[in-house]
Structures are given as C-alpha cells and as structure tokens.
Amino acid sequence: MAIGLGLPAQAQEREWILDVADEDAYLAFGVPETDDVGMSFWCKIGSGKLRLFLPDGSPDLAPGTTAEFNVRVAEKDFALKGQTMANDMSGHTSVEAELGTGDALVKELMAADRFMVTVQKHVMTFPLADANLQDLLKLCEVKQP
C-alpha cells in the first residue's frame, strides 16, 4: 500500500511579467496565471506614453475622481495625479496615472532597484530586479519614420 505524503502548497511569489498584445504592452508585477497583480506599467504600443496602474490604490479613495499620490525612487519624490476607479475584486479603489516615456520618473526607475508608492496612508514598495522596463519602453516609444 502506497501512502502519499502531501507537500504543503507553496505560494507563488510575485514577479515581473512582460506581455505584448496587438495594440498594448504590459509589464505587471504579479503572480503568473492569476489575478494577483500588485501594480503594472502599460502602454499603447508606439504612443510615447506609459501608464502606471495600481489595482489596490487605497480603500479610502473615492472612485471616479482624480487622486494625488507619490512615487519615491532613490530618495527622490515624484507627485502624480491619477484617475480612480472601483476595484470590485479587492474592495479598494484603483488608480492610474499617465507619464511620458522620457519623464524624469521613468529615467529614475530605469536606474533603481525598487520604488515606493504612497496613496493616502497606503504605502507599497515594489522591487525592480528583473523588471523588463527597458523592453517595455522600447515598445511604448513613438516610432520614428
């Protein structure tokens, strides 16, 4: 008689995942093949714009408004404004801001190993090790003729 020893289920950790669709490119920090996403950068390919999306911006934000939040990279603070929307899955409110691919914040992110986002009292830190931000930016940049 064989007795199977159950191994404890191992929780997958979040990682950076670059995904390219027909018109959009996404760099998400989440657990592969799940809905668990801590944050993402995305763009319309060739738009010259980069969007920073936080699915769980803060439980205190009102959806359908503009919210101010802070991104801290290498001891430098960047004030952003983003649009909020209800996140029915988490009960929090998501927030999304648009940047230019050449913005100072983007340049700082390229050289950093982590960054911190503060939305009201909600503070989140994200590592940048293994983030393929450079390849995402190549997809987002306006194509020169």
Side-chain angles (χ1 to χ4, degrees):
M1 174 192 257
I3 299 175
L5 297 176
L7 297 175
Q10 294 187 12
Q12 285 186 286
E13 292 192 23
R14 288 178 174 171
E15 61 186 64
W16 288 102
I17 305 154
L18 180 62
D19 186 28
V20 182
D22 291 338
E23 296 180 6
D24 301 319
Y26 303 87
L27 180 62
F29 185 64
V31 177
E33 300 179 28
T34 71
D35 291 333
D36 180 1
V37 175
M39 69 85 48
S40 65
F41 296 106
W42 74 276
C43 70
K44 292 277 184 201
I45 295 172
S47 68
K49 301 290 182 184
L50 181 68
R51 299 189 74 78
L52 184 154
F53 177 70
L54 299 160
D56 295 327
S58 175
D60 302 323
L61 284 177
T65 63
T66 299
E68 295 182 7
F69 63 100
N70 185 70
V71 177
R72 185 175 186 88
V73 185
E75 305 302 317
K76 295 180 183 174
D77 289 309
F78 298 88
L80 298 179
K81 288 184 181 181
Q83 299 303 307
T84 64
M85 62 215 79
N87 183 336
D88 295 331
M89 290 178 59
S90 70
H92 289 192
T93 299
S94 301
V95 64
E96 183 175 64
E98 185 175 86
L99 310 162
T101 55
D103 284 3
L105 170 56
V106 175
K107 290 177 184 176
E108 289 293 330
L109 288 168
M110 292 292 295
D113 65 350
R114 73 180 62 89
F115 66 103
M116 183 171 54
V117 180
T118 304
V119 182
Q120 293 181 331
K121 297 176 188 171
H122 189 56
V123 180
M124 301 156 277
T125 301
F126 302 102
L128 285 167
D130 300 322
N132 202 348
L133 192 54
Q134 184 172 355
D135 283 351
L136 176 68
L137 290 174
K138 286 179 186 174
L139 292 163
C140 299
E141 289 173 352
V142 175
K143 306 293 183 227
Q144 301 301 320

